[in-house]
């Protein structure tokens, strides 16, 4: 697909999803500015893009910084966030300063600089423990954690900026994103990256709950494609979209699949469920299909093979910025 914009700003561009967005933009000839405070992002994720984009280390809590970097941009892909749910439970105020105030800074910078489009990363966590499956965008939000509440707040600010200032915004509710570059060194990392690291080391994973809980896992390149589609969308009555696959994998089965890929035969260990964890989550992606033209291209088996191939080639040491 082609793109209709020439200059883009990616917040959190040294992170897992952000760096893949950077790759796609560069591949389409876009002038890219990346900002990241490197609290969880890694310069190693951008090593191959040196000379092809402009990197600026800074924080979205700094309104003057983000205001200056948004100058002349056609679109902003807002990925920067405290993404650890447990960390937002532990530090709700600190995380809100990033996830809420930082997002308002991004929106305000876009408004003052006449940026044509802002695409914001939201989360399926906003649905909370609503038992209805699959999740659709018309459901009442039931945030159960500060992280979920902060993401839902971002959606509301995006809607308000659309209504008050005519800003073109889109919020993508990511389901469980996985793929190369997802950092396994943090205890808050995605379950797939943790499982793959454990299997490579011959160690048992710790599964919270009985392992029968399930998730809609979506490959990072499909998420990137959704971002580009959203950036090219003209104003619409709908600006919140589920980004997933519409199918699910149980956590126990996920561990079995990782074991098969790695050749390991290791029994998992179990612990009580964590506060804020959601038991069942599957996306209804009808709106994304109809309005964005989004269609997941990576079946889970294909995506997890590509992910494992990447992890297998990584040194088994903690990655640092």
């Amino acid at each position: 697909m082609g793109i209709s914009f020439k200059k883009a700003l990616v917040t959190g561009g040294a992170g897992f999803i952000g760096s893949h967005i950077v790759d796609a933009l560069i591949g389409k000839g876009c002038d890219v500015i990346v900002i990241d405070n490197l609290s969880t992002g890694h310069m190693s994720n951008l090593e191959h893009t040196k000379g092809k984009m402009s990197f600026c280390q800074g924080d979205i809590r700094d309104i003057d910084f983000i205001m200056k970097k948004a100058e002349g941009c056609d679109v902003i892909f807002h990925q920067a966030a405290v993404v650890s749910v447990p960390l937002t439970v532990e530090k709700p105020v600190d995380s809100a300063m990033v996830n809420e105030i930082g997002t308002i800074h991004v929106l305000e910078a876009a408004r003052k600089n006449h940026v044509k489009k802002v695409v914001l990363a939201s989360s399926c966590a906003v649905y909370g423990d609503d038992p209805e499956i699959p999740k659709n965008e018309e459901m009442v939000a039931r945030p159960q954690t500060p992280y979920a509440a902060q993401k839902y707040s971002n959606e509301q600010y995006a809607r308000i900026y659309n209504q008050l200032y005519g800003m073109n915004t889109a919020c993508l509710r990511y389901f469980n994103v996985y793929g190369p570059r997802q950092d396994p060194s943090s205890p808050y990392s995605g379950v797939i990256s943790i499982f793959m690291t454990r299997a490579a080391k011959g160690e048992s994973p710790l599964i919270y709950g009985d392992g029968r809980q399930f998730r809609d896992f979506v490959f990072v390149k499909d998420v990137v494609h959704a971002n580009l589609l959203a950036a090219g969308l003209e104003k619409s009555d709908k600006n919140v979209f589920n980004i997933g696959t519409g199918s699910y994998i149980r956590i126990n089965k996920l561990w079995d699949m990782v074991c098969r890929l790695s050749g390991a035969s290791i029994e998992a260990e179990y612990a009580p469920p964590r506060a804020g964890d959601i038991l069942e989550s599957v996306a209804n992606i009808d709106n994304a299909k109809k309005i964005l033209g989004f269609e997941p291209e990576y079946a889970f088996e294909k995506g997890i093979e590509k992910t494992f191939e990447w992890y297998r080639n990584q040194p088994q040491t903690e990655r640092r910025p």
Side-chain angles (χ1 to χ4, degrees):
M1 62 172 287
I3 57 175
S4 59
F5 46 89
K6 297 180 179 180
K7 186 175 182 180
L9 172 65
V10 183
T11 73
F16 165 44
I17 299 173
S19 65
H20 283 280
I21 293 175
V22 171
D23 286 349
L25 293 172
I26 291 173
K28 294 184 179 297
C30 189
D31 182 6
V32 184
I33 298 174
V34 177
I35 64 173
D36 202 300
N37 67 1
L38 299 180
S39 59
T40 56
H42 299 276
M43 286 305 298
S44 57
N45 289 336
L46 298 172
E47 188 70 30
H48 60 289
T49 66
K50 281 186 176 179
K52 301 177 183 178
M53 56 82 195
S54 174
F55 176 79
C56 305
Q57 185 170 349
D59 199 298
I60 59 173
R61 289 170 291 188
D62 183 344
I63 184 70
D64 293 331
F65 171 77
I66 187 69
M67 194 71 70
K68 183 173 180 58
K69 298 309 173 186
E71 290 178 1
C73 290
D74 300 310
V75 60
I76 298 176
F77 295 90
H78 180 38
Q79 304 295 310
V82 175
V83 296
S84 162
V85 173
L87 188 56
T88 68
V89 172
E90 180 184 346
K91 298 181 177 181
V93 176
D94 291 347
S95 60
M97 293 302 294
V98 177
N99 292 349
E100 293 191 53
I101 301 302
T103 295
I104 297 172
H105 287 171
V106 170
L107 290 169
E108 190 66 359
R111 181 172 79 92
K112 293 289 182 65
N113 285 287
H114 308 289
V115 176
K116 298 175 183 177
K117 185 67 176 273
V118 181
V119 182
L120 301 94
S122 189
S123 170
C124 62
V126 302
Y127 295 114
D129 63 353
D130 191 316
E132 183 177 340
I133 296 290
K135 311 296 185 185
N136 68 77
E137 296 90 342
E138 285 70 41
M139 294 169 60
V140 176
R142 294 182 176 179
Q144 289 188 286
T145 62
Y147 174 77
Q150 290 155 12
K151 286 297 184 181
Y152 186 62
S153 173
N154 290 352
E155 294 181 3
Q156 299 311 303
Y157 274 107
R159 177 182 58 80
I160 290 168
Y161 267 73
N162 182 297
Q163 291 179 347
L164 289 182
Y165 310 118
M167 183 182 296
N168 194 355
T169 60
C171 303
L172 305 184
R173 289 179 177 173
Y174 299 160
F175 278 64
N176 292 78
V177 188
Y178 72 99
R181 301 181 200 157
Q182 193 169 30
D183 186 1
S185 66
S186 165
Y188 306 130
S189 297
V191 63
I192 289 181
S193 62
I194 293 174
F195 276 11
M196 289 187 172
T197 302
R198 291 283 184 172
K201 293 181 178 180
E203 299 175 352
S204 295
L206 183 62
I207 295 176
Y208 295 94
D210 62 8
R212 289 183 52 77
Q213 63 268 40
F214 55 78
R215 300 285 184 272
D216 185 334
F217 292 102
V218 57
F219 192 57
V220 65
K221 290 190 181 297
D222 282 331
V223 171
V224 170
H225 186 53
N227 272 268
L228 297 186
L229 289 170
L233 179 69
E234 295 298 325
K235 284 190 177 181
S236 168
D237 291 339
K238 296 184 182 296
N239 75 331
V240 176
F241 302 95
N242 287 339
I243 303 301
T245 66
S247 58
Y248 67 85
I249 300 291
R250 294 190 186 277
I251 301 302
N252 284 333
K253 182 179 179 181
L254 172 62
W255 175 243
D256 290 341
M257 294 176 74
V258 170
C259 283
R260 285 199 298 272
L261 284 171
S262 65
S265 180
I266 305 168
E267 293 293 325
E269 297 178 2
Y270 295 85
R274 294 180 296 188
D277 277 355
I278 306 302
L279 292 180
E280 301 175 346
S281 183
V282 182
N284 178 323
I285 57 174
D286 289 348
N287 283 338
K289 287 182 176 182
K290 181 180 179 181
I291 299 172
L292 297 181
F294 172 69
E295 191 71 51
E297 296 181 4
Y298 288 82
F300 186 71
E301 291 75 14
K302 178 182 177 183
I304 199 171
E305 285 179 6
K306 286 185 172 292
T307 305
F308 183 75
E309 181 181 352
W310 184 85
Y311 275 95
R312 184 170 53 192
N313 294 326
Q314 299 307 299
Q316 297 300 313
T317 57
E318 182 177 354
R319 301 173 70 207
R320 298 184 182 278

